Amino acid sequence: MLEKDIEARLVRKVRELGGKAYKFESPGTLGVPDRLVCMPEGTAVFVELKAPGKTPRPNQLHRHQELRALGFPVFGCVDSLEAVDAFIGWLDLFCQINSAILSATLELYQDYQEMLDNAV
């Protein structure tokens, strides 16, 4: 199994959920994750893909820590088809939770706007 096979499955599964798995490169910055997964309603997740048995390099681990410190989820070693499926299961649940939070936030905002409109 090659990394490109794992990557192809990830891209296909993300697309099936309605998202995009962009190849992520940052010229001049070493160690960035392989893919930036963008889902509807603003969910963004970084994914590092590896061939089975391979592990992230130290500069990649450092970059993962930087991104996590900024609040982004980073999956640091998706190295099998089963790991892709596990990630997709997590991503689907994460998107459902984010959607519920977004809906509740928009509802609160609309209530606030209505309150302001009635106060005038």
Side-chain angles (χ1 to χ4, degrees), residues 20-39:
K20 301 280 187 181
Y22 295 105
K23 184 76 173 166
F24 183 57
E25 295 177 359
S26 182
T29 305
L30 296 175
V32 296
D34 295 307
R35 292 283 173 164
L36 171 57
V37 174
C38 297
M39 299 300 292

Side-chain angles (χ1 to χ4, degrees), residues 72-114:
F72 291 100
V74 179
F75 278 73
C77 194
V78 175
D79 65 352
S80 68
L81 300 179
E82 295 79 15
V84 170
D85 292 343
F87 167 74
I88 292 298
W90 174 88
L91 181 63
D92 189 29
L93 180 59
F94 189 69
C95 288
Q96 290 175 40
I97 292 167
N98 276 354
S99 179
I101 291 169
L102 180 60
S103 293
T105 302
L106 288 173
E107 199 172 303
L108 286 172
Y109 175 75
Q110 290 166 346
D111 290 348
Y112 177 72
Q113 285 298 313
E114 186 177 317

Side-chain angles (χ1 to χ4, degrees), residues 3-94:
E3 182 176 324
K4 70 177 185 173
D5 300 319
I6 297 166
E7 191 166 26
R9 184 181 187 107
L10 175 84
V11 170
R12 181 174 51 82
K13 293 283 195 173
V14 167
R15 190 178 321 117
E16 288 172 5
L17 285 180
K20 301 280 187 181
Y22 295 105
K23 184 76 173 166
F24 183 57
E25 295 177 359
S26 182
T29 305
L30 296 175
V32 296
D34 295 307
R35 292 283 173 164
L36 171 57
V37 174
C38 297
M39 299 300 292
E41 299 185 8
T43 299
V45 180
F46 291 93
V47 181
E48 183 70 50
L49 297 153
K50 291 290 178 191
K54 301 290 183 178
T55 58
R57 297 182 311 274
N59 66 344
Q60 291 174 316
L61 294 172
H62 173 73
R63 204 63 64 203
H64 297 173
Q65 290 173 339
E66 281 185 338
L67 291 166
R68 287 183 184 120
L70 291 170
F72 291 100
V74 179
F75 278 73
C77 194
V78 175
D79 65 352
S80 68
L81 300 179
E82 295 79 15
V84 170
D85 292 343
F87 167 74
I88 292 298
W90 174 88
L91 181 63
D92 189 29
L93 180 59
F94 189 69

